[in-house]
Amino acid sequence: MDFSLTDEQELLLESIDEFAERYFDEDTIKDMYKNHGCPDEIGEAYRDAGFGYMGLPESVGGIDTDYLTLALMTERLYHKTGCMTPFMTAMLAMKDIADFGTEEQAQMIVDAYNESGRCAAALGISEPAAGSDNNGMTTVVKKQEDGTYIMNGQKTWVTNGAVAQFFLIIAKDEDPAYENKSYSMWLVPADSEGISVGLLEKVGQQAIAFTDLFLDNVKLTEANRVGEAGKGFYLLMKNFEFERCLVVAQGLGQAQAAMDDAANYVSERNVFGRPLATNPLVRDLLVEAETILENVRTYLYKCCWMLDNGQSIRSEVAMLKRYATKGCTRVADIAMSLYGGIGYTEEVRIGRIWRDLRGNEFAGGAVEVMSYIAGREIVKKYKKN
């Protein structure tokens, strides 16, 4: 692995720095968290800078980008803003449609994004009784005598669900029974009759609206289907590995922002006539946090490098997400301790970052599930023939 950046990557990160400095002051961020969303002006600026097209195929107006560059871009955006943004999650849903749908479907999504700069698509997978246990899904699509389809069910934890123009929904074919493992993927306009959403109130990540999605006799046609019938969940699993990399990249960026603040604070804060940073216990905490950041960064880049070289990272990304999301929360926790009481107030952003990072331990698969996946693969790896 070569850790040096290309000239193009350096320029991209400089552009991200300029974008973050221009649009993400603390007052704006506080308003985003209060209003559960990103101002249209910022979304349009992100689109106009070309950031929103990265990772999408050139055939529909995207910018073909390797996985490592996307991770670098995500890490830097979250580092320099110190907050959650809706952009990378929105890109993932668009990428799913571009990867698995028809060119017409992909173009329709990109056109919607071109027009508004707002989230074009949101992914609907989880349900109230189906998180890690995907077979527990009961959202179902049934074919009618006239050749149309009717969808009924409920999704939850739909990221960007309040602003998305389309939903990419995984539903069972014909029968909601637990034993049915035939799923299809559907692209459904958000303004379709029978669709309604309800905002979920979360502990953190307030800048992104997560919603419940209610589907009541939503009428579909074959044109709404994405990919092959019965293969919807299999298709989506292909992109889960990179989704987990992006969750880690987001958390790494925010954890680095927390470290920036805390390390600077203890250098300036005098206690008993000396800078707090001279205290050996404080330095030990700084070393712990810095070690976590370096380990997460190295492992993240390795996983993206493996993806870019066509290698499977099923076990690696599960271990990465298990270690990294808990580790980044620990970094924010250390930062809060270094600030002392003020770190537990709204006067500084550490508490907000901590709340956001704690949620990443669930996003894209809970850390306990990651242990199950990685543990199973490790047993296979070391089992003697």
Side-chain angles (χ1 to χ4, degrees):
M1 294 177 61
D2 183 355
F3 285 88
S4 59
L5 301 182
T6 65
D7 291 342
E8 291 79 8
Q9 288 170 335
E10 292 279 11
L11 288 172
L12 171 64
L13 297 183
E14 289 175 9
S15 297
I16 289 291
D17 291 349
E18 293 171 2
F19 174 77
E21 183 177 357
R22 179 173 181 179
Y23 290 103
F24 285 87
D25 59 85
E26 270 300 300
D27 287 339
T28 298
I29 293 171
K30 288 178 180 179
D31 285 341
M32 286 171 54
Y33 276 64
K34 179 180 178 180
N35 298 319
H36 306 294
C38 183
D40 288 343
E41 175 192 8
I42 297 179
E44 292 167 1
Y46 189 85
R47 174 201 61 193
D48 293 344
F51 301 140
Y53 300 100
M54 300 197 59
L56 302 178
E58 294 180 358
S59 60
V60 293
I63 302 172
D64 193 24
T65 312
D66 62 84
Y67 291 114
L68 178 57
T69 299
L70 289 172
L72 289 168
M73 172 183 169
T74 303
E75 177 192 348
R76 183 61 70 91
L77 178 64
Y78 279 65
H79 175 196
K80 293 301 181 179
T81 61
C83 73
M84 294 294 293
T85 70
F87 305 125
M88 300 311 294
T89 307
M91 179 277 292
L92 274 176
M94 292 172 66
K95 182 172 172 55
D96 285 336
I97 296 165
D99 286 349
F100 308 131
T102 65
E103 188 167 327
E104 290 75 17
Q105 289 171 330
Q107 192 64 62
M108 179 172 61
I109 291 297
V110 173
D111 288 346
Y113 179 64
N114 289 342
E115 184 176 344
S116 68
R118 291 189 292 109
C119 173
L123 188 60
I125 305 178
S126 297
E127 297 184 6
S132 300
D133 182 9
N134 298 304
N135 285 344
M137 288 186 195
T138 57
T139 297
V140 64
V141 173
K142 296 186 177 182
K143 191 171 185 177
Q144 308 300 296
E145 291 184 359
D146 63 359
T148 63
Y149 299 83
I150 296 295
M151 176 182 287
N152 282 285
Q154 179 184 349
K155 296 294 181 179
T156 193
W157 295 112
V158 181
T159 310
N160 292 319
V163 295
Q165 300 171 74
F166 292 85
F167 293 105
L168 184 60
I169 299 172
I170 300 294
K172 288 189 173 181
D173 299 319
E174 299 300 329
D175 184 4
Y178 187 88
E179 296 75 19
N180 182 17
K181 296 183 180 181
S182 178
Y183 301 83
S184 288
M185 189 185 301
W186 301 86
L187 182 60
V188 185
D191 59 0
S192 298
E193 185 175 353
I195 283 185
S196 58
V197 299
L199 186 66
L200 287 169
E201 291 291 345
K202 309 184 301 300
V203 172
Q205 304 191 10
Q206 301 286 11
I208 303 177
F210 286 51
T211 65
D212 283 318
L213 172 63
F214 302 96
L215 306 152
D216 184 15
N217 291 325
V218 179
K219 190 173 183 178
L220 306 170
T221 69
E222 194 63 35
N224 295 103
R225 190 191 299 274
V226 177
E228 185 180 349
K231 302 295 184 181
F233 198 81
Y234 170 77
L235 292 174
L236 201 60
M237 286 296 293
K238 289 184 177 181
N239 279 358
F240 266 9
E241 291 180 350
F242 183 57
E243 177 188 354
R244 288 165 182 160
C245 287
L246 278 191
V247 170
V248 170
Q250 293 169 351
L252 174 60
Q254 283 192 288
Q256 186 65 66
M259 179 65 169
D260 291 351
D261 290 0
N264 182 68
Y265 177 77
V266 297
S267 295
E268 295 181 343
R269 171 74 166 172
N270 284 331
V271 177
F272 303 117
R274 301 176 64 187
L276 192 56
T278 62
N279 186 306
L281 294 177
V282 168
R283 289 184 174 180
D284 187 59
L285 289 173
L286 291 172
V287 169
E288 180 184 350
E290 187 73 2
T291 301
I292 292 171
L293 292 171
E294 288 300 318
N295 286 342
V296 170
R297 185 171 290 113
T298 301
Y299 205 1
L300 170 64
Y301 293 0
K302 176 188 175 182
C303 284
C304 291
W305 176 86
M306 291 176 68
L307 278 178
D308 284 327
N309 284 275
Q311 300 178 32
S312 172
I313 60 168
R314 182 176 179 79
S315 175
E316 286 81 2
V317 79
M319 289 188 289
L320 168 67
K321 187 178 184 300
R322 177 189 180 278
Y323 172 78
T325 53
K326 291 177 71 69
C328 288
T329 304
R330 173 59 181 158
V331 170
D333 194 65
I334 288 171
M336 189 180 294
S337 295
L338 293 175
Y339 264 97
I342 195 174
Y344 198 60
T345 71
E346 297 295 333
E347 302 250 343
V348 295
R349 62 181 181 172
I350 298 301
R352 182 187 74 220
I353 291 174
W354 186 94
R355 291 190 296 270
D356 286 351
L357 291 176
R358 186 62 180 85
N360 280 354
E361 295 183 34
F362 305 105
V367 293
E368 293 80 8
V369 176
M370 296 302 101
S371 290
Y372 173 79
I373 294 171
R376 182 178 57 194
E377 297 300 314
I378 290 170
V379 169
K380 292 178 183 178
K381 175 181 177 181
Y382 287 98
K383 184 178 180 179
K384 294 181 179 180
N385 295 328

